[in-house]
Amino acid sequence: GFTSDNEVIAVMNKIIAESSQDTRVEYTPRYFQSVIKNQFLTKYQNEIRLGYDKIDFALELAPRFGKTIWAIDLLNTLFIEHNIKLCVIPTYVLTAITSFKKEFYTFKGYSSKIVFVTSEDDIQSVIDENYGKKLIVVVMSLHMREHESKLEIIKSLSSYDKVSIIDEADFGAHRMNSQEKIDYLNCRLNIYMTGTAIERVASPLSNLRDNIIRWSYSDMLMVKKGEHPIQTGIESLEESKSSVKDIVVPQFMRLSLGGVVDNFYSVEPEYRTDWNKLFSDVDKSKPVLSNLIKSL
């Protein structure tokens, strides 16, 4: 009945978490993860100090950053230090839910403080039992049509007690119908995470201000070389460099077409390749495209 390997891993680790011998490891943030978390908390505390009722964040975190477990650790801090009582995870990409569950149960220490609500659980009962004692995490599909009736309980809670975290936010979460569902939750803090296309994520957000944090693959490569500005004057330079030891340094190559370009422009315009026509029907253009790919 499992739909993915991640689901199997999540279930097995949930069993281990509930056993008398919890053999899971504790999450230790990598150097750059701690830096970005501190940047977030500094900006968030400043927003609170200024008294904003609605706070949006847009985070563009590079592949290999580890943003799912980073977000879980951030949630744990928001619960302990900022009295956040409930988190909703609205998602357009449904695999993000399974990924979150897998990371949540992989590491020791979170399941004792955080309650992960499944579709089989009664939300009202979970809230009655755990509200204010443990952080309650509820997943929500942005494909849901009847979100108002199903999430009315969450909407009724104080906005100051709630946060929403939207992963893969550049896939569908920026659309107006998705934004309406996220707004309906009435969370004071909304965190939009993406690996790319942060401009698309940020465009509909009206409470973003300067709460944009970016961490690119180039940033990690700079840390690996010890050349990043965040490493200036730190004592643990080698430790910071080792935090990205597994990051692959890309090898760039240049394609040289020789005199092909000159030959192309020597042909009369009406006989030149029209890319729009080729790509409008790739099946019909398969012989041309296949030979082009082979020749390249």
Side-chain angles (χ1 to χ4, degrees), residues 152-269:
E152 189 174 352
I153 298 167
I154 293 175
K155 183 187 178 182
S156 65
L157 301 172
S158 169
S159 62
Y160 281 58
D161 290 352
K162 298 178 293 189
V163 58
S164 74
I165 294 184
I166 304 94
D167 197 5
E168 307 293 354
D170 54 321
F171 288 100
H174 63 289
R175 298 174 181 174
M176 291 313 298
N177 57 344
S178 294
Q179 283 293 300
E180 288 173 3
K181 293 172 185 175
I182 295 169
D183 290 341
Y184 178 82
L185 296 169
N186 191 31
C187 297
R188 184 192 193 189
L189 174 60
N190 297 292
I191 304 170
Y192 295 80
M193 299 196 305
T194 179
T196 56
I198 195 170
E199 297 83 4
R200 185 189 302 167
V201 174
S203 59
L205 304 182
S206 55
N207 302 291
L208 185 59
R209 292 174 283 278
D210 69 337
N211 299 325
I212 296 176
I213 299 175
R214 308 179 83 162
W215 182 261
S216 68
Y217 204 87
S218 297
D219 285 309
M220 288 194 275
L221 292 172
M222 291 171 69
V223 170
K224 189 167 186 171
K225 287 188 173 183
E227 299 174 351
H228 200 286
I230 65 173
Q231 295 169 292
T232 303
I234 65 170
E235 296 180 2
S236 54
L237 179 61
E238 291 305 316
E239 182 182 342
S240 67
K241 290 167 66 175
S242 67
S243 70
V244 289
K245 63 182 179 182
D246 297 327
I247 299 300
V248 176
V249 178
Q251 299 293 316
F252 294 98
M253 305 200 181
R254 192 171 93 178
L255 174 65
S256 177
L257 295 175
V260 170
V261 175
D262 293 334
N263 289 339
F264 177 79
Y265 284 111
S266 68
V267 177
E268 293 296 323

Side-chain angles (χ1 to χ4, degrees), residues 264-278:
F264 177 79
Y265 284 111
S266 68
V267 177
E268 293 296 323
E270 60 266 28
Y271 297 120
R272 294 178 192 168
T273 301
D274 186 326
W275 293 107
N276 289 329
K277 289 180 181 178
L278 281 176

Side-chain angles (χ1 to χ4, degrees), residues 113-126:
K113 303 173 189 171
I114 302 172
V115 178
F116 193 89
V117 181
T118 66
S119 56
E120 292 81 27
D121 296 320
D122 178 65
I123 295 179
Q124 185 65 66
S125 298
V126 174

